[in-house]
Amino acid sequence: MDSVEKGAATSVSNPRGRPSRGRPPKLQRNSRGGQGRGVEKPPHLAALILARGGSKGIPLKNIKHLAGVPLIGWVLRAALDSGAFQSVWVSTDHDEIENVAKQFGAQVHRRSSEVSKDSSTSLDAIIEFLNYHNEVDIVGNIQATSPCLHPTDLQKVAEMIREEGYDSVFSVVRRHQFRWSEIQKGVREVTEPLNLNPAKRPRRQDWDGELYENGSFYFAKRHLIEMGYLQGGKMAYYEMRAEHSVDIDVDIDWPIAEQRVLRYGYFGKEKLKEIKLLVCNIDGCLTNGHIYVSGDQKEIISYDVKDAIGISLLKKSGIEVRLISERACSKQTLSSLKLDCKMEVSVSDKLAVVDEWRKEMGLCWKEVAYLGNEVSDEECLKRVGLSGAPADACSTAQKAVGYICKCNGGRGAIREFAEHIFLLMEKVSLLYSWFQLQSPCGRNSNIIFNPNILL
């Protein structure tokens, strides 16, 4: 379980290299908008994600897709689903980032060029935001580069601020790393241990380790921020689980970060269930949408062998795969692909057909996955438990899905989406195993497992 640790109630004498300004004053209770004498309005807690367009490392990193979702989307989803904030904001100077933020349901503050420079600090951008939003009493500055953040972390920190009276709370992670003093080149010195006795090296299980800031979030009250502090006053840390402390600024290897997110990330309020049926659009998903016509007017299409293997792997794992198209595809041509999948063509209402298939198999919508690429797929994509689209799908389809493939349609998108399904099903399986281990009755328990209560 997540643990909440309280740091000592203390002030910060020189945060972020700024001159000391003394102990910040206590926060004055805000009674704006009270309905009568003595009635206080709850403080307005706003989530604020800073997402500048410029990046020296990865261009537009904040909206680059990580595990099929724009990077900033992971933290926005956690912030919005937590219910801990009166408002959720993205501060940006870039149109594309603004569009993605609004797509996920956040409000947007267009920051000025003065706080959008390489030399600008987070504190500069937060202060500017507060200057435009007098209603905000507390800011929860959440880093866009922390995609494994979960709503429960934010809920607990909000409670520490609102109920326990802390002026600032920041996230930390526990590390078991031995530190040694650094020796400058050309200096005749020997290194010295900083946090261990080499003659009595402790075992990991015998050492509590040390706490490090992991940069996931910094919560602070307005009066602290306006004095130039993000940490100060009555201050505490919140210890996050190590597996949730993924920082893209540190995890430069994007594929490794993706694996961490797929295993430990937050996937939304709609809880995962085991997928039993995958429905895939033919034109633009199974194929690249190109149609060739021979001299005798016969239709010729092409597909990627990787996708055929992906379909085969899904079927071997017990997942039914069915194909659908609004176009009058040649069933003879499709049958020659030897995919052994049930299919429907010339479909004007895809949702009705998929619903019929679902009922036929006795499934709920959460047990259905859909890979689509066109406007006609939108309703199906919004209804199913797991949705995906190829990299070259239309914008309408991409906005409706939970996973956007790196591969184009007809070029490995089905195989990629199949692997995504397997990873998520592995997550459900791991939680099932966890539940069995935690059960006081062990593996012989008669308790019925519901993965929804754990995710």
Side-chain angles (χ1 to χ4, degrees), residues 275-312:
I275 297 299
K276 301 289 184 62
L277 169 65
L278 168 63
V279 180
C280 177
N281 193 26
I282 295 173
D283 298 310
C285 289
L286 175 65
T287 75
N288 62 5
H290 294 172
I291 301 173
Y292 306 92
V293 181
S294 65
D296 56 358
Q297 301 300 303
K298 289 185 177 180
E299 182 180 285
I300 302 172
I301 60 174
S302 65
Y303 71 103
D304 197 309
V305 173
K306 295 194 294 290
D307 289 327
I309 294 174
I311 290 174
S312 176

Side-chain angles (χ1 to χ4, degrees), residues 2 19 60 89 138 154 168 175 240 251 334 347 393 408 413 423 446:
D2 296 325
L60 289 178
W89 294 84
I138 311 166
L154 301 173
S168 62
R175 303 291 189 198
M240 287 179 61
D251 296 329
L334 293 172
V347 176
N408 290 341
L423 281 169
N446 292 323

Side-chain angles (χ1 to χ4, degrees), residues 1-2 150 152 155 241 266 268-274 366 427-428 430-436 438-440 445-455:
M1 296 295 293
D2 296 325
H150 281 241
T152 51
Q155 291 164 355
R241 293 166 57 175
Y266 171 70
K269 291 180 179 178
E270 292 296 320
K271 307 307 181 184
L272 294 173
K273 293 198 70 172
E274 186 176 355
K366 290 182 182 179
K427 183 173 182 177
V428 172
L430 285 170
L431 287 169
Y432 175 72
S433 299
W434 179 90
F435 180 84
Q436 287 186 316
Q438 297 298 317
S439 169
S445 170
N446 292 323
I447 297 174
I448 298 175
F449 169 71
N450 178 3
N452 289 346
I453 67 174
L454 295 178
L455 283 167

Side-chain angles (χ1 to χ4, degrees), residues 91-136:
S91 171
T92 187
D93 60 337
H94 199 279
D95 291 342
E96 289 185 51
I97 296 176
E98 177 178 353
N99 292 336
V100 171
K102 289 180 177 178
Q103 177 185 328
F104 276 85
Q107 300 181 71
V108 174
H109 168 76
R110 287 300 294 234
R111 67 167 72 178
S112 67
S113 58
E114 285 75 16
V115 297
S116 301
K117 303 173 183 176
D118 290 338
S119 59
S120 300
T121 67
S122 297
L123 191 58
D124 294 334
I126 296 171
I127 289 174
E128 182 195 69
F129 169 79
L130 286 176
N131 289 338
Y132 282 88
H133 297 280
N134 294 325
E135 76 280 5
V136 175

Side-chain angles (χ1 to χ4, degrees), residues 7-157:
T10 182
S11 62
V12 175
S13 60
N14 189 16
R16 299 181 178 272
R18 294 178 179 272
S20 175
R21 304 186 187 185
R23 185 181 178 86
K26 292 183 179 180
L27 179 66
Q28 299 298 316
R29 290 190 178 275
N30 182 1
S31 59
R32 290 175 294 174
Q35 300 297 317
R37 190 172 183 178
V39 178
E40 297 180 344
K41 180 181 179 181
H44 184 118
L45 173 56
L48 179 63
I49 295 93
L50 306 179
R52 191 168 61 92
S55 174
K56 290 184 177 180
I58 304 174
L60 289 178
K61 174 180 63 179
N62 292 312
I63 56 174
K64 177 179 169 65
H65 285 168
L66 179 75
V69 176
L71 177 59
I72 196 173
W74 291 100
V75 294
L76 284 174
R77 179 189 290 163
L80 289 161
D81 285 358
S82 72
F85 304 97
Q86 275 84 357
S87 59
V88 176
W89 294 84
V90 171
S91 171
T92 187
D93 60 337
H94 199 279
D95 291 342
E96 289 185 51
I97 296 176
E98 177 178 353
N99 292 336
V100 171
K102 289 180 177 178
Q103 177 185 328
F104 276 85
Q107 300 181 71
V108 174
H109 168 76
R110 287 300 294 234
R111 67 167 72 178
S112 67
S113 58
E114 285 75 16
V115 297
S116 301
K117 303 173 183 176
D118 290 338
S119 59
S120 300
T121 67
S122 297
L123 191 58
D124 294 334
I126 296 171
I127 289 174
E128 182 195 69
F129 169 79
L130 286 176
N131 289 338
Y132 282 88
H133 297 280
N134 294 325
E135 76 280 5
V136 175
D137 302 300
I138 311 166
V139 172
N141 175 216
I142 302 171
Q143 303 295 333
T145 54
S146 301
C148 280
L149 185 64
H150 281 241
T152 51
D153 295 318
L154 301 173
Q155 291 164 355
K156 291 174 182 177
V157 174

Side-chain angles (χ1 to χ4, degrees), residues 33 36 51 62 65 80 86 97 130 176 202 212 235 268 286 316 345 356 368 389 391 398 404 409 412 437-438 440:
N62 292 312
H65 285 168
L80 289 161
Q86 275 84 357
I97 296 176
L130 286 176
H176 292 78
Y212 293 81
M235 177 172 54
L286 175 65
K316 286 180 180 178
V345 300
E356 183 180 338
V368 181
Q398 290 196 5
I404 299 177
L437 290 173
Q438 297 298 317

